[in-house]
Amino acid sequence: SASMSHQDIKISKFDYARFLVASLAYLADRQGDLLDFHAVHDAHVDGLPSRRRQHQLSGLPKILERLVPSGVWPAAETLERQLAVTRSREIIVLISDLHERHDEIRGILTKLRALRHEVLVLHLMARNELDFTYEGDVTFEDLETGELVQSNAESMREDYSAANERQPSELRESLISQGIAYELLPLDQPLDSALKGFLQRRLELP
């Protein structure tokens, strides 16, 4: 969705996500696994043409290259038609900044887990979000709604920092209680380190 265009240290969340997708697809292909890919936003769900086709890795870079972050998280029924119809147990990896208006992302994760899929969440956040590096008078824009908020960084810092420490911890505990693996990935974390953390979390799943 549009919020994935947020940028820090000269890289956007979306570009980092593309690197992660390509790396995980390569690992899956090396293992001989069938690969399915969905880029999710409200207009439509882009993806590879068929989960039944072997050696799909060659088509993925072209899809990743043409994608542009836009729109918002789609309605639940749109995703359920695309993602929750299979009866076979799959490994499902969500790469997202988890920006949601209500609980729509967590809702689909709960449904996927209820269908006994193995679900892993890679939560992307920029360093300027994690550490609130802003100073002086600032204007924040919601990239999905266009809403503007004007304030002073110093007056916001304490409340923002407290919420930023609490919310990821609460989200992680909520997901893990459902058997969903969760990994917070700052954009300045090297990709190899991020993947090691991801693989370790998978091993820790019950």
Side-chain angles (χ1 to χ4, degrees):
S1 61
S3 65
M4 290 288 284
S5 61
H6 180 93
Q7 183 171 325
D8 192 21
I9 60 166
K10 299 182 179 180
I11 187 172
S12 69
K13 294 176 181 176
F14 195 69
D15 286 336
Y16 195 92
R18 286 196 277 203
F19 293 137
L20 276 174
V21 168
S23 300
L24 292 172
Y26 174 76
L27 292 174
D29 187 71
R30 287 291 300 269
Q31 292 182 165
D33 294 333
L34 290 176
L35 177 68
D36 206 359
F37 168 74
H38 300 276
V40 173
H41 55 93
D42 59 328
H44 51 86
V45 179
D46 294 305
L48 290 167
S50 172
R51 73 180 68 227
R52 297 180 178 86
R53 297 174 62 180
Q54 295 278 5
H55 308 299
Q56 298 178 99
L57 187 63
S58 60
L60 184 59
K62 291 182 180 179
I63 296 174
L64 293 173
E65 185 177 4
R66 73 165 185 258
L67 290 174
V68 176
S70 63
V72 298
W73 189 263
E77 56 268 20
T78 300
L79 280 183
E80 287 172 11
R81 287 195 300 267
Q82 296 272 350
L83 305 180
V85 294
T86 179
R87 295 183 180 180
S88 60
R89 188 171 186 265
E90 298 180 342
I91 301 170
I92 297 177
V93 182
L94 173 69
I95 302 174
S96 171
D97 61 358
L98 300 181
H99 183 80
E100 53 185 357
R101 289 156 290 174
H102 304 291
D103 293 329
E104 60 268 21
I105 298 179
R106 281 172 283 185
I108 192 65
L109 291 172
T110 298
K111 289 181 180 180
L112 290 170
R113 183 59 183 146
L115 291 169
R116 303 194 60 79
H117 297 301
E118 183 177 337
V119 183
L120 307 104
V121 175
L122 302 181
H123 182 190
L124 304 186
M125 291 190 71
R127 181 55 60 186
N128 54 15
E129 293 178 297
L130 289 167
D131 296 344
F132 199 75
T133 58
Y134 305 98
E135 297 181 353
D137 294 329
V138 291
T139 300
F140 296 102
E141 178 183 3
D142 187 315
L143 295 172
E144 296 188 359
T145 66
E147 180 182 357
L148 299 177
V149 175
Q150 295 180 326
S151 187
N152 179 271
E154 280 65 37
S155 66
M156 296 176 63
R157 195 177 309 280
E158 184 175 350
D159 288 344
Y160 180 93
S161 298
N164 213 32
E165 289 181 8
R166 182 184 71 254
Q167 290 171 356
S169 177
E170 291 176 350
L171 176 62
R172 181 178 183 275
E173 290 177 7
S174 173
L175 294 177
I176 289 178
S177 69
Q178 300 176 66
I180 298 172
Y182 170 88
E183 183 81 12
L184 176 62
L185 301 181
L187 298 189
D188 57 355
Q189 182 174 2
L191 193 61
D192 59 343
S193 175
L195 286 170
K196 286 178 182 177
F198 164 84
L199 295 171
Q200 182 61 41
R201 290 295 183 276
R202 184 184 170 192
L203 290 174
E204 292 173 358
L205 280 175

